[in-house]
Structure formats: structure tokens, C-alpha cells
Amino acid sequence: MKKINNTTQTRKDLALKFLQFGEGNFLRAFVDWMIQIGNDSTNLNMGGVIIQPLANGMVDRLKEQDNLYHVILEGIKEGKPIREIQRIDCILDSVNPYDEYEKYKAYFLLPELEFVFSNTTEAGITKVENEDINAAPPASFPGKVVALLYQRYKKFKGATDKGLIFVCCELIENNATRLKSIILELAEENNLEPEFKIWINQACTFCNSLVDRIVTGFPKDKIADVQQELGFEDNMIVTAEYFHLWAIEGSDKEKARLPLHNAGLNVLWMDNLKTFRDKKVRVLNGAHTALVPVGLLAGYLTVKEAFTNKTIETYIRNLISKEVLPNIAGDTDSLEQFALEILDRFLNPYLKHFMKDISLNSLSKWITRDYPSLKNSIERTGKLPKRLCFSLAALILLYNDNMVEGFKVNDTNTELSAMQAEWKSEASLSEKVNNILSNHALWDINLNQHDGLTQKVSNYIKQIKEVGILSALMTLEK
């Protein structure tokens, strides 16, 4: 079978207009897919370079096939099954800055560069204390950005037309605003000239955005059949649902420079994302994050498998209707309809959405996606919401070694070490939970500020261990 590369495929000549921090499945099946559609159906003419944000990643695998790959979409459109295959050729190169720093730097300093897209996970837009921004490269994503923006500022002598537009896809509130804030802090701490900070504010634009597409990744279980269908040996195939939505906070100026809506794509430009974000992150992503530890502890591998269990389905539907939706501003009927449409996507028969993939960085995901609903519920009712507390208990239990056969949690070394140290300690269960919930390094806050949370979570963990996750859920819903 032919390999997919530049010798077996023809590709368009595209202008290099964007850098993308993140080589993972989501950006490749979402942002790159959209840009490909725009290039194919309009005069977008937009090529890009993928930057690997961490020392270990998948750039080498992309290079092996000249950054060409396919996206396969499966789902329901207008009530009918749909399957689409799209070859992606808008990625012109991919770079590991830890091995190819000068090449990486050269791309960032190209005069025609316009955009930077990113998805470095919820943990990516964080500040590293005392970071060396002169390293090659700095460790953190914000550190990399401030270093290269400063070099760009110096190279073009502060020209305002050489600023960049950042569109962040990380699932944290005000993602681009947060990135800009850290960049300015780093500039201040490193005594960079005031004119540079003025240039950032005047020449660069930071667009918060919200993304929505379930991406299931590489179709490992049927790869031979898929490659036979394609006629190519493509080892970077990405599968995803047909549904997509990208909401971007920006002005008509940015909209005109990234006119993906002209290609018929579901890209919405708006003045403020807050209400829209609350709906999407709290309902879809919050439900996923609450489902994952429960489903894994029950022995399920995929979202669909877990959601077809009536006990688990009831738990998630009640969590959304009773503990999430009441805390979101908006018309009740439209919110309920939105939730129904979201949950129907959990049952997409064409997707194998593995919960082990969703479980990456689960602690930061829970605090971003589920904690706001827990906090607002306490403020609204004066009580601890039992289902959200149960989700927290199941999540903490998942970090106890060997709770699920064949599964290992995937998180930062700091978080893994902290959780494992508590589970291995000789302290009582209540003391362990108290220490975990009060650990600021895990959550960025002390969760024990909420009276009774340690006891409630401890009781749920004890119950799950004694009777099993499904029996504990049945008791919860009585």
C-alpha cells in the first residue's frame, strides 16, 4: 500500500499564515479541518506550521508523512447518517522546538505570519515561576510566546502591522485573556522595555474562543479497513463526530481576516462568550468529566457504552438538569433543549469516544468544568449538590493505584505525585480526602472552604469501595 506523503499526493501552494501550538487529535480534526475546508471552497489560501509544545509529542510521526493526513467524520446530519473523509494538506511543516529551535524561531519571525492557534490543554496556559524566557525554548507555552513575541518586536522595530492574532482553544474561561495576562507579567518580571508591552497591547489581538466537537482520535480497532478504503498508509488519521462549532470573541476586523463562516462552517463571532461558554462547558464538557471516573470504575471503555447503562444515564441526566442547568442564565426551555441535544451526541453510534482519552488532566478539567456548577449550586441552595460531590469522589478514587484494571491516570507529575502520596499514606480516609481537597497545587483553590465537602466526598468514596460504583449510584438516585 502506498504511503501518504508528497511523492504520492499533490498539494496546493499556500501562504504560511498561522502557527499552531499543539499537534494533538483535536486541533488537527477541528482547526486544521476548518482551514482545509476554507482553502478548498473559498480563497482563504491559508497554510500553517504545527509547533509541538512539549518535548515529547507526535511531530516526528507527522513529518514521516509530510504533514498530510485524513479526517474522517461520522454522525447524523438532518436526521440521516453521514460519513465524510477529508484529506488535510494545509499543514506545511511541523517542528519540535526542543530539537529544532532555530527553525521554530524563523517561522515565528516570518513577516507574513498572521495567526497563532493553540490547544495546550487546560494545564497549558499557566505561569511557571522564575521561568527562563531566554531558554531555547522556555518550558511553558506562555514563556515560549513572550520570548518569541519579544524577538518579533525587536526584528520589526515595533511595527504595529507585525503583531499577531492569538485564538486560544483551551477549555478555560477567558483563555486568550489569561494568556495575554501571563505574557505581560513575564515581560514585567524580566524587565523588558515598556514599549514592548505597549506593542503587545496595540499590535497583538487575543481572542477568547470556545470549541465544540467530539474527537475520538486514531481508529486503532479498524485501521486496516480504513487504510484500505483510503488507499494509503496514513498513520495520523483522526476520527470525529460531524457536529462542529467554534465561537470566537472578536471584532469584525478579526472576522474578516479569518472568514471561515464564508465556507459554510459553524463559526460564530461574538462580543462576549460568557453565557455561551457556561452552556457548552458546563453541560457537554462537565458531563464528560463527571461521567469518565464513574464509567471507568464501572468497567466501561467508551462514552456510548457507559451511557447505555440506565443507572449511569440517569445519574448524568439528573446531574445536568438538577445541578448544572439551574445555575446557568437563560431561558429554561432553551437550556433544556440544548442539554437534550448535547446528551444525544453521547449516543452517536459511529463514535468510539474512549474515556481514557478524556481522562487526560482530569483534575484541572474537573475544577474548570464542574466546580463552577458545584460552587453556584451551593450559593443558590445553601446545600452541597450530591451528584457533583459524587463525581468528585469518583474522580479522587480513580487516582488510587489499580482501581481500574488496565487503566492508568494521565496527569502532570506534580498532580500524580500529590495524589499518590496521599493514597499511600497511613492517614484515615477522611484525612486523606481533607488533604487532597485542601491542596492548592491540585485545584488552585482550597476546596475545603465549602463546609462539609470533605465528609460528603469521604462518605461517597467509602460507599463506592464497599458496594461498587453502580450500587452507590442507585442509592444516590433514590
Side-chain angles (χ1 to χ4, degrees):
M1 183 178 294
K2 293 184 295 185
K3 295 181 181 293
I4 184 171
N5 55 42
N6 287 342
T7 66
T8 59
Q9 298 277 277
T10 58
R11 58 194 304 168
K12 294 179 181 177
D13 290 327
L14 297 170
L16 203 166
K17 294 184 181 179
F18 72 92
L19 295 186
Q20 176 176 299
F21 281 84
E23 80 281 21
N25 290 324
F26 184 82
L27 284 183
R28 291 190 297 113
F30 187 78
V31 172
D32 300 342
W33 173 83
M34 287 197 187
I35 290 171
Q36 186 69 44
I37 297 297
N39 287 341
D40 290 349
S41 60
T42 72
N43 61 351
L44 187 63
N45 185 27
M46 198 167 182
V49 173
I50 288 178
I51 308 298
Q52 182 177 294
L54 302 175
N56 296 315
M58 297 191 296
V59 154
D60 286 345
R61 292 165 58 191
L62 278 167
K63 287 176 180 289
E64 286 175 4
Q65 45 193 66
D66 293 326
N67 306 291
L68 295 163
Y69 64 94
H70 291 86
V71 171
I72 299 176
L73 305 179
E74 296 177 307
I76 305 296
K77 181 181 180 182
E78 298 174 354
K80 297 179 180 179
I82 185 170
R83 188 171 188 270
E84 292 184 358
I85 298 175
Q86 177 69 56
R87 191 195 69 170
I88 308 299
D89 65 16
C90 63
I91 302 303
L92 309 182
D93 199 0
S94 52
V95 177
N96 180 349
Y98 296 85
D99 296 334
E100 307 169 280
Y101 182 77
E102 291 302 320
K103 184 179 183 183
Y104 155 69
K105 175 181 171 181
Y107 279 133
F108 207 92
L109 296 178
L110 286 174
E112 62 268 30
L113 191 66
E114 295 183 24
F115 288 91
V116 175
F117 304 115
S118 70
N119 185 6
T120 55
T121 78
E122 283 88 340
I125 303 183
T126 54
K127 184 181 175 186
V128 173
E129 294 300 327
N130 302 313
E131 181 168 20
D132 178 10
I133 66 165
N134 296 309
S140 73
F141 170 50
K144 290 179 179 69
V145 172
V146 73
L148 291 174
L149 276 181
Y150 185 61
Q151 292 179 53
R152 190 173 177 87
Y153 163 77
K154 299 287 280 187
K155 176 180 174 64
F156 297 110
K157 298 179 171 55
T160 55
D161 66 340
K162 292 301 184 286
L164 300 173
I165 299 171
F166 290 80
V167 186
C168 295
C169 300
E170 292 84 356
L171 281 175
I172 59 172
E173 192 165 4
N174 299 321
N175 41 29
T177 301
R178 175 63 179 152
L179 175 62
K180 180 181 179 181
S181 174
I182 297 173
I183 289 169
L184 291 172
E185 287 179 33
L186 289 170
E188 181 72 26
E189 291 174 3
N190 285 272
N191 299 312
L192 303 182
E193 54 261 50
E195 291 79 9
F196 171 57
K197 289 176 281 186
I198 293 171
W199 181 80
I200 290 175
N201 284 315
Q202 293 182 347
C204 298
T205 304
F206 293 81
C207 296
N208 300 314
S209 91
L210 186 65
V211 296
D212 193 356
R213 165 170 272 174
I214 295 172
V215 175
T216 49
F218 187 70
K220 183 178 179 180
D221 59 335
K222 53 182 179 180
I223 186 59
D225 291 339
V226 172
Q227 290 186 345
Q228 189 66 39
E229 177 186 10
L230 296 174
F232 289 98
E233 184 183 323
D234 181 352
N235 294 310
M236 296 299 287
I237 296 168
V238 188
T239 57
E241 67 173 336
Y242 180 80
F243 177 88
H244 67 280
L245 183 146
W246 196 1
I248 307 174
E249 199 173 81
S251 68
D252 288 342
K253 180 181 177 182
E254 288 79 53
K255 180 179 180 180
R257 292 177 68 178
L258 190 65
L260 295 172
H261 53 285
N262 289 344
L265 295 163
N266 194 14
V267 178
L268 308 177
W269 291 84
M270 53 187 67
D271 295 330
N272 191 299
L273 286 178
K274 178 170 174 45
T275 300
F276 191 88
R277 181 186 185 281
D278 281 351
K279 285 199 307 182
K280 189 267 176 182
V281 173
R282 294 195 188 197
V283 177
L284 174 61
N285 302 107
H288 269 153
T289 299
L291 172 67
V292 164
V294 169
L296 285 170
L297 289 168
Y300 294 106
L301 298 179
T302 69
V303 168
K304 182 178 180 294
E305 288 171 357
F307 210 61
T308 53
N309 180 298
K310 288 299 179 185
T311 299
I312 295 176
E313 180 191 8
T314 298
Y315 161 68
I316 292 296
R317 289 191 183 276
N318 285 343
L319 180 145
I320 290 171
S321 65
K322 298 180 180 182
E323 298 179 359
V324 175
L325 294 184
N327 304 304
I328 301 174
D331 175 70
T332 300
D333 290 342
S334 64
L335 284 172
E336 289 176 352
Q337 182 59 37
F338 175 81
L340 287 173
E341 292 169 357
I342 289 290
L343 292 174
D344 282 347
R345 290 163 62 193
F346 281 32
L347 294 168
N348 185 336
Y350 304 99
L351 295 184
K352 275 200 169 184
H353 201 185
F354 287 96
M355 288 185 289
K356 64 180 176 61
D357 296 332
I358 308 173
S359 71
L360 175 67
N361 296 328
S362 282
L363 298 180
S364 61
K365 285 178 177 174
W366 191 90
I367 205 70
T368 299
R369 303 171 176 188
D370 290 308
Y371 174 67
S373 294
L374 181 138
K375 181 175 180 288
N376 291 160
S377 189
I378 293 170
E379 293 167 346
R380 182 175 55 84
T381 67
K383 299 177 181 178
L384 291 165
K386 63 181 184 179
R387 296 170 188 86
L388 286 163
C389 290
F390 190 93
S391 77
L392 180 57
L395 176 61
I396 291 172
L397 185 57
L398 199 63
Y399 281 75
N400 190 0
D401 279 348
N402 303 316
M403 283 303 301
V404 178
E405 185 178 353
F407 170 79
K408 285 184 70 72
V409 287
N410 190 349
D411 221 315
T412 67
N413 289 334
T414 298
E415 290 167 334
L416 287 174
S417 297
M419 293 293 279
Q420 289 166 4
E422 288 299 335
W423 277 116
K424 291 176 182 177
S425 75
E426 298 298 322
S428 68
L429 176 60
S430 182
E431 290 171 331
K432 290 176 182 179
V433 173
N434 180 75
N435 292 339
I436 289 169
L437 295 183
S438 62
N439 189 333
H440 196 278
L442 293 175
W443 314 101
D444 285 333
I445 58 169
N446 179 357
L447 287 173
N448 278 324
Q449 64 184 278
H450 302 295
D451 292 340
L453 185 60
T454 285
Q455 194 58 53
K456 199 169 188 71
V457 169
S458 299
N459 289 344
Y460 284 142
I461 291 176
K462 183 173 182 288
Q463 188 180 25
I464 293 169
K465 293 178 75 172
E466 288 177 349
V467 304
I469 190 75
L470 293 177
S471 294
L473 277 179
M474 285 187 271
T475 300
L476 186 77
E477 293 300 339
K478 281 183 179 179

